[in-house]
Amino acid sequence: MLSSPNNPFLSGKLRFFLILFIVADLGISFNQYYNSPIDGDVTSIVLPTAKYKAVLKDPCGIEMIASDTTYSEPNRIFALAFIYKYFRTVPLISQSFLSPISSVYFSAALLKLFIQILIVVMIGLYSSGRIGFKNDLFITSIALATIFFQVGGYSSTMGIIDATVSYTVYYSLSVGLVLILLYPLIMNFGFKREIKPGVFSILFYFMLAIIIPFMGNQVPLLIISIFLTALAGSMIFKVELSKIVAVIKADKKYLSVLILFIFLCSYSYFMSLYNSERNLSGLSFIERIAKIPVGLKNILFGKPGLWILMVLITINSIILKKINPAFNLKFLKWFGLFCGMYLLVLPLDGYYEFRPNIIRRDNFIPVILILIVIFTRTTLSLIDALSNSPAKIRYMGFYIFTIMLIFTLADLPSLRIENCQRASLEMLSISDKKIVHLSGKCNLASWYSANEVKDSEVNAQVFYLWGITAEPKYYIQH
């Protein structure tokens, strides 16, 4: 049992230090996001190009299905529409106090920071069961969670906020919104707290249930995995499904939200079968499964962040079991079962050349977030178990401080990364030539270098829209 929110365990100075650390870490994250380049999807969506115009014109995919044609990312309408509106609005508003170039990077950084705060708060809520800066459990949870948001450091294996802002919306924001939608359910099962949403909350959940399924295939695959985990877990761990169903049925309004959500997730997955980029290589389902071990190896044994987190969870679990042999670690079995199901479900998404081994850090985010929640929860349980021993609590404090130091120091070098993309934009904005020759050292809001003038046509229009150039200005990179 975790400490009661009415039983604070942090001293005033330590509470102030943790809050200061959280604020400082968010400030560092914003600086890192501000210096990150703009990716190739953003300008294509903002224009938009023919690739995305088809989806924006046929959001439900009715014409696509009726004519048996394919679109690029047909079930990402809300993600695409959000990026389209956001980057046509926020950069222009922020130009009241920033230059046009700075406004674009500021807008991207602001969006990433908002998504980070959203997910950190939800991790804190899922770990402590409470919210508020007067709650020591919540403060400790988010202080621990925030260190795992790596921009440099271990980001290639456990980065939650992608270097590209578009992928942050596709993967991170969608999962963050799922955490909000499932909050009443998780509080009921994880903390035995009955949460009955009010009228406005139900309306908000209905809105989320409509939006989230159409932010990409990440969510439908996640929901399929959760369903299979519940089904398999009921048989393996002898949990009666009727008890789970009874809890869900207790609130008819929230139940209707979940039914709508599951139905729309099913339709979203059906739409994804019409994705023009889905499986260009023609690999079978079995061939895709065969690639999973390589992808898993790259995630677990690339940069060490993820396996350090897994080692820390193991240490916490061993110590908790030693202190209290009755401590229930069944949640680790449920986590293992979910991972197995999720890995088996991922190949249903098809095969993409940019993700050759099926698993990559971006579509592994649900597993990474669960690992972080397990770590924060077991750490809080350790603090609670040792709370009566001042000497042991001091050791615990040193243990937590060391972990925070390791992950913070690992991420600091990314503060010094130069943004050569921004330098190219500066040259483009001040040039008086009709066709500007720029360095090919880095891509300019694109996935590829502009080797010909036609390669810069989309960006020329969008840079003009953002006010970076006085007129559409084309360029070549070499």
Side-chain angles (χ1 to χ4, degrees):
M1 190 76 173
L2 294 178
S3 297
S4 165
N6 297 318
N7 181 26
F9 55 86
L10 295 175
S11 66
K13 290 182 179 178
L14 187 54
R15 187 181 296 108
F16 175 77
F17 169 76
L18 288 179
I19 293 173
L20 186 65
F21 173 80
I22 293 165
V23 173
D25 192 82
L26 290 174
I28 290 171
S29 293
F30 180 81
N31 180 74
Q32 291 168 318
Y33 299 149
Y34 183 70
N35 287 296
S36 297
I38 303 299
D39 64 86
D41 277 8
V42 173
T43 51
S44 295
I45 296 169
V46 170
L47 187 60
T49 60
K51 174 181 177 179
Y52 295 113
K53 194 176 290 185
V55 182
L56 293 170
K57 284 186 175 181
D58 185 21
C60 297
I62 295 173
E63 291 182 22
M64 173 187 71
I65 296 169
S67 59
D68 195 27
T69 187
T70 59
Y71 293 163
S72 178
E73 311 295 352
N75 62 342
R76 276 186 180 165
I77 177 58
F78 282 114
L80 299 176
F82 175 74
I83 293 171
Y84 173 83
K85 289 292 185 182
Y86 183 88
F87 280 98
R88 275 179 166 255
T89 306
V90 178
L92 301 181
I93 292 173
S94 57
Q95 285 177 23
S96 61
F97 55 90
L98 290 170
S99 69
I101 293 175
S102 295
S103 72
V104 176
Y105 290 100
F106 172 82
S107 301
L110 191 65
L111 179 55
K112 288 183 180 181
L113 186 67
F114 168 78
I115 296 171
Q116 176 176 335
I117 292 172
L118 167 66
I119 296 175
V120 166
V121 168
M122 294 310 299
I123 290 173
L125 194 54
Y126 276 44
S127 301
S128 66
R130 303 286 176 176
I131 190 169
F133 279 97
K134 292 183 179 179
N135 187 313
D136 289 354
L137 294 173
F138 180 74
I139 293 172
T140 306
S141 297
I142 61 175
L144 289 170
T146 194
I147 64 175
F148 299 112
F149 283 73
Q150 300 274 301
V151 179
Y154 306 135
S155 63
S156 61
T157 54
M158 65 178 301
I160 299 165
I161 305 298
D162 203 280
T164 62
V165 68
S166 60
Y167 275 60
T168 299
V169 173
Y170 301 155
Y171 294 95
S172 307
L173 179 58
S174 61
V175 174
L177 295 178
V178 169
L179 294 177
I180 296 175
L181 183 63
L182 298 183
Y183 165 69
L185 204 58
I186 299 301
M187 288 299 103
N188 202 312
F189 283 109
F191 291 90
K192 307 303 179 186
R193 285 179 56 204
E194 188 176 351
I195 303 291
K196 285 200 171 183
V199 175
F200 290 109
S201 295
I202 286 293
L203 290 174
F204 178 65
Y205 286 137
F206 265 116
M207 183 180 70
L208 288 181
I210 295 169
I211 292 173
I212 299 171
F214 301 103
M215 294 190 71
N217 232 22
Q218 173 96 321
V219 175
L221 295 178
L222 178 59
I223 298 307
I224 293 170
S225 303
I226 292 173
F227 175 78
L228 292 176
T229 301
L231 194 63
S234 67
M235 294 183 287
I236 297 171
F237 305 131
K238 309 300 180 183
V239 177
E240 294 182 21
L241 276 178
S242 58
K243 292 182 179 179
I244 300 175
V245 173
V247 172
I248 297 173
K249 279 185 174 180
D251 189 334
K252 303 293 185 187
K253 294 176 183 177
Y254 184 65
L255 173 61
S256 62
V257 170
L258 293 179
I259 291 172
L260 175 65
F261 179 56
I262 292 169
F263 171 76
L264 291 179
C265 280
S266 301
Y267 181 67
S268 174
Y269 178 74
F270 176 69
M271 286 178 69
S272 75
L273 301 178
Y274 290 84
N275 189 342
S276 58
E277 301 172 14
R278 177 180 171 81
N279 195 11
L280 298 178
S281 63
L283 288 182
S284 68
F285 182 73
I286 299 299
E287 288 174 316
R288 281 174 259 157
I289 287 179
K291 288 182 172 291
I292 287 178
V294 178
L296 201 57
K297 179 182 74 69
N298 293 339
I299 285 282
L300 296 178
F301 301 104
K303 290 191 175 181
L306 202 55
W307 66 255
I308 290 175
L309 178 58
M310 295 171 71
V311 168
L312 292 172
I313 290 171
T314 304
I315 292 171
N316 285 1
S317 302
I318 291 171
I319 296 174
L320 281 169
K321 204 66 178 173
K322 187 175 181 180
I323 293 172
N324 180 13
F327 187 83
N328 192 349
L329 293 175
K330 186 176 280 188
F331 61 87
L332 292 177
K333 296 178 181 178
W334 279 98
F335 169 69
L337 182 60
F338 169 78
C339 286
M341 294 300 173
Y342 189 64
L343 292 177
L344 288 175
V345 165
L346 278 180
L348 292 175
D349 192 25
Y351 181 81
Y352 300 90
E353 291 182 359
F354 63 84
R355 195 187 294 131
N357 297 310
I358 307 300
I359 299 174
R360 200 172 67 169
R361 179 215 20 90
D362 48 15
N363 65 356
F364 207 61
I365 286 176
V367 175
I368 296 170
L369 292 181
I370 295 174
L371 282 170
I372 295 172
V373 170
I374 292 174
F375 169 71
T376 53
R377 284 213 66 178
T378 53
T379 302
L380 292 178
S381 296
L382 270 177
I383 293 171
D384 183 54
L386 301 173
S387 59
N388 294 325
S389 173
K392 290 179 179 178
I393 278 291
R394 281 195 291 270
Y395 284 120
M396 190 68 199
F398 178 75
Y399 170 67
I400 292 173
F401 175 77
T402 303
I403 295 167
M404 293 171 73
L405 191 64
I406 289 171
F407 281 89
T408 302
L409 291 177
D411 202 32
L412 284 180
S414 61
L415 284 171
R416 298 190 294 271
I417 295 176
E418 292 184 7
N419 189 343
C420 82
Q421 185 188 87
R422 182 175 182 134
S424 294
L425 278 175
E426 296 281 1
M427 290 183 64
L428 183 68
S429 67
I430 61 175
S431 176
D432 57 0
K433 295 179 180 178
K434 291 184 178 180
I435 298 176
V436 184
H437 291 262
L438 299 173
S439 169
K441 184 180 177 182
C442 56
N443 299 331
L444 191 56
S446 173
W447 299 117
Y448 312 99
S449 290
N451 298 317
E452 300 178 35
V453 173
K454 66 178 183 179
D455 296 333
S456 67
E457 289 176 353
V458 171
N459 283 358
Q461 298 293 329
V462 177
F463 294 160
Y464 170 62
L465 172 70
W466 283 335
I468 292 173
T469 57
E471 60 182 355
K473 195 173 290 184
Y474 301 94
Y475 58 89
I476 296 175
Q477 291 179 281
H478 51 80

